[in-house]
Amino acid sequence: MKCDAKTFTSLYEQAYKDMYRFALCLTRNRQDAEDAVSEAVVSAYENIHKLRREEAFKSWIFTILSNICKKRLKRTARETPYEEVQALSGMEMQAREQDYGLALDVRNAFFILSEEEQTIVGLSVFGGYNSSEIAGMLKLNANTVRSKRSRALEKMKCVLR
C-alpha cells in the first residue's frame, strides 16, 4: 500500500485509544503500555509498504502491538527486580506474588493462543469490539469470529484450571 505520513496519522488516530487499552490490559503498566504502543507505531510506519489494504490497518497494527507486548512480557518475566522484592513486607510480598502469579497465568494462557485467536480475544475483551466489527477488520464471518473467540476462551480456561 502506498501511504504518506498524513494518511498513516489518520489511520493511527482511529486506532490509538484501542491500542493503548489493549496494551494496558496486557502489560498492566501505563509506561509499558505507552512504550509498546510507541514501538508498534514506529514498526508499523517503517513497514507500511507491507500492508496491502488500508481497511486492514487496524488489525495489522494490533497484531504488531500484540507481538511487541508478548516480547516485553517475556522479558519482564525473566527480570525479577531483587531490590523491589527485598523492600516488601511479608504480607505485601505474599499478596503481590498472588496478584503477579495470577496475572502471569492469564498472560501465559493468552500466549498459548494462535496469533489469530489472540487478535480476536484482544479486540473483543480488551478493545471492546463486537463480533461484527472484528469480522469486518479481519475479513471473516461474524459467526466464525464468535466460534473462534469461544474456542480461544475455552483454551485459556483449560490452562487456568
Side-chain angles (χ1 to χ4, degrees):
M1 177 182 115
K2 203 165 194 174
C3 180
D4 60 4
K6 198 173 206 176
T7 304
F8 183 86
T9 301
S10 173
L11 293 169
Y12 167 67
E13 284 175 348
Q14 295 172 18
Y16 171 74
K17 288 181 183 177
D18 296 329
M19 290 174 63
Y20 178 73
R21 272 194 305 184
F22 179 75
L24 185 61
C25 287
L26 286 179
T27 63
R28 300 281 185 212
N29 179 296
R30 287 184 197 170
Q31 187 64 47
D32 289 344
E34 290 171 5
D35 290 348
V37 169
S38 296
E39 191 176 333
V41 170
V42 169
S43 179
Y45 188 76
E46 290 172 348
N47 294 290
I48 193 70
H49 62 279
K50 295 178 182 176
L51 181 63
R52 293 188 185 134
R53 296 180 328 250
E54 189 175 309
E55 308 83 49
F57 178 82
K58 203 166 192 177
S59 61
W60 178 70
I61 201 165
F62 264 88
T63 301
I64 293 169
L65 179 60
S66 175
N67 291 333
I68 288 169
C69 287
K70 277 189 229 178
K71 288 177 191 171
R72 287 179 165 274
L73 291 170
K74 286 179 184 176
R75 192 177 333 127
T76 302
R78 285 189 298 239
E79 300 167 359
T80 305
Y82 181 73
E83 296 80 21
E84 187 178 326
V85 172
Q86 273 189 323
L88 297 173
S89 72
M91 288 182 66
E92 287 176 305
M93 190 158 56
Q94 193 173 28
R96 191 151 184 186
E97 283 174 359
Q98 287 174 343
D99 289 346
Y100 178 74
L102 179 60
L104 194 57
D105 289 345
V106 171
R107 287 179 185 146
N108 288 337
F110 182 75
F111 292 137
I112 65 152
L113 303 177
S114 71
E115 194 170 301
E116 182 182 48
E117 290 170 329
Q118 287 178 7
T119 302
I120 290 170
V121 170
L123 289 171
S124 173
V125 175
F126 305 128
Y129 292 100
N130 65 39
S131 56
S132 298
E133 293 168 325
I134 296 169
M137 284 185 248
L138 301 179
K139 304 296 179 213
L140 296 170
N141 181 294
N143 290 329
T144 303
V145 170
R146 281 191 285 278
S147 64
K148 287 183 181 223
R149 178 181 181 267
S150 178
R151 280 191 292 256
L153 292 174
E154 274 302 312
K155 281 184 191 177
M156 289 180 67
K157 194 180 199 180
C158 287
V159 170
L160 291 170
R161 284 187 185 159

